[in-house]
Amino acid sequence: MEHRTDIGRKDTIERVDGRKPLLHVEHLGIGRTGVGTANETGTGSDAGRKSEANGGTMRNGGHQPLLRDVSFSVYPGEIVALTGPSGCGKSLTAHAIAGMLEPGIAVTQGYIYYNGEDIVPFHERRWQRLRREDIALLIQQSLSGLNPIRTVRAQLTDTLRLHGRRQMPHEQKEPGHAGAHTAPSFAAPQQAVLQGALPWMRRMISRATELAGGRATQSQEAYLHALLRKVGFADPERILSSYPFELSGGMCQRVLLAAMLSSGPRLFIADEPTTALDVINRDKVLALLQQLREDFDLTILLISHDRQGIGRVADRVLEMRPEGRMHE
């Protein structure tokens, strides 16, 4: 890759209908830098490449390429689907955009522009701020994002305190208000009441976490009810009072989705949100993402191997070839 400076680069990013892309990825390369450099790579912020004074890049020698020459743009308000065979680098790309590459894996060439700024050289503190305020990544293993010994209410309340309470969309009605919009229904058949260990676990955990806080104010409580309705829960109070181990994997995924939406992100990246779902529930999830795009003014990068399914909701579909080369 020819080394170039950032001087004048922002003005050359392709516009569509006079708009600049919210996200622009250019000639992105990702590689394995080895165990010896794991401490230097951190979460992938400026890992694996040295920033020069002119903002260009210099590739490390000796890295093992995992992804090569990925370039695409996502414009404000779009749903762009990134698809391709397993192992082609879709999730790697998503984690690089969010600054969450694993230690020993790093951006080795190219640029990631968010809102016109190259974010690859960011230090971890700037990445944390970006993830807190602008970019949300919903990973496949949603359950791991929730604390199993704290109620959903406690965890969502903590999230509101961390990010600051954000306004719901203007069109949002109070729960139960006539004419209020409701998300696609995800009502599932009643699960059999678990006997024995589960109620005992609930009592023990409740007692052990009484002093952990997580109490919501009246306004936060109303906000959480509205937010959970937005992501498809018909009974928000039951969800708020539950522990993650009392919910299905799909329900935990939607709780985590609600937590991410509470921070008011502009770019939402959903990594394989329909994996292991049947056709009916897959279509409901995709319909939900479409509705959330409208309600929360989101730009969505949707990653999936299910090209046929996502093609019905995406504005554009990008196909990633092995090792990352793209085809639209």
Side-chain angles (χ1 to χ4, degrees):
M1 174 181 175
E2 180 183 353
H3 302 310
R4 294 170 289 178
T5 69
D6 270 345
I7 298 175
R9 291 179 56 83
K10 295 179 183 179
D11 294 329
T12 64
I13 296 176
E14 183 180 358
R15 294 172 180 258
V16 170
D17 298 329
R19 299 177 303 159
K20 279 190 174 181
L22 181 63
L23 173 68
H24 177 72
V25 177
E26 183 174 332
H27 300 301
L28 179 66
I30 299 175
R32 192 179 303 279
T33 58
V35 178
T37 59
N39 291 333
E40 298 176 3
T41 60
T43 59
S45 53
D46 56 351
R49 74 184 211 174
K50 301 177 183 178
S51 297
E52 298 172 314
N54 60 13
T57 61
M58 182 166 57
R59 286 184 284 181
N60 273 354
H63 66 267
Q64 175 189 353
L66 300 174
L67 194 72
R68 297 177 181 176
D69 200 27
V70 171
S71 297
F72 64 92
S73 295
V74 181
Y75 292 85
E78 280 192 312
I79 296 180
V80 173
L82 185 59
T83 187
S86 297
C88 70
K90 303 185 298 295
S91 293
L92 268 180
T93 301
H95 282 74
I97 293 169
M100 295 176 65
L101 290 173
E102 296 180 1
I105 298 177
V107 172
T108 54
Q109 69 174 25
Y111 304 86
I112 302 174
Y113 286 98
Y114 174 75
N115 203 25
E117 182 178 12
D118 184 14
I119 60 178
V120 172
F122 277 13
H123 295 290
E124 181 57 24
R125 182 172 295 180
R126 294 194 70 186
W127 276 114
Q128 290 175 356
R129 180 177 178 182
L130 193 66
R131 290 191 294 265
R132 186 169 64 244
E133 299 179 357
D134 285 88
I135 298 177
L137 172 62
L138 180 67
I139 60 175
Q140 297 180 42
Q141 298 81 13
S142 57
L143 185 58
S144 63
L146 297 172
N147 187 331
I149 62 170
R150 302 194 71 208
T151 64
V152 170
R153 174 179 281 106
Q155 296 184 64
L156 291 184
T157 301
D158 285 349
T159 300
L160 291 183
R161 289 171 180 157
L162 175 64
H163 297 297
R165 182 174 179 267
R166 305 299 178 95
Q167 287 297 115
M168 289 293 285
H170 294 299
E171 68 273 13
Q172 171 68 35
K173 305 290 195 309
E174 288 299 319
H177 189 284
H181 167 75
T182 56
S185 174
F186 286 83
Q190 285 289 332
Q191 297 180 348
V193 178
L194 297 177
Q195 302 294 328
L198 189 55
W200 177 83
M201 287 174 59
R202 193 180 219 288
R203 289 194 300 271
M204 294 298 293
I205 292 172
S206 296
R207 179 60 180 168
T209 59
E210 279 180 352
L211 301 179
R215 295 181 180 178
T217 65
Q218 186 174 359
S219 62
Q220 287 174 335
E221 189 81 4
Y223 178 82
L224 292 178
H225 275 74
L227 190 60
L228 289 176
R229 287 185 184 277
K230 276 291 185 182
V231 297
F233 288 115
D235 187 359
E237 179 57 34
R238 183 176 72 85
I239 301 302
L240 288 171
S241 301
S242 298
Y243 291 91
F245 62 80
E246 296 178 301
L247 305 176
S248 69
M251 296 168 78
C252 287
Q253 185 183 55
R254 281 183 283 136
V255 167
L256 192 59
L257 174 58
M260 292 177 175
L261 292 175
S262 71
S263 68
R266 295 181 63 192
L267 175 64
F268 183 77
I269 306 172
D271 187 4
E272 297 284 4
T274 60
T275 297
L277 296 179
D278 58 43
V279 173
I280 294 176
N281 284 314
R282 179 196 67 190
D283 289 344
K284 287 181 179 180
V285 168
L286 295 176
L288 173 62
L289 290 176
Q290 277 188 308
Q291 186 61 53
L292 293 175
R293 188 244 312 249
E294 302 298 326
D295 291 346
F296 289 86
D297 194 24
L298 291 176
T299 300
I300 298 177
L301 180 61
L302 179 58
I303 295 173
S304 177
H305 64 276
D306 177 21
R307 191 184 189 286
Q308 182 178 1
I310 61 178
R312 293 197 292 271
V313 301
D315 299 301
R316 290 185 293 126
V317 177
L318 307 175
E319 185 172 355
M320 182 176 284
R321 306 285 177 81
E323 294 187 343
R325 292 180 175 85
M326 307 290 295
H327 173 72
E328 182 169 358

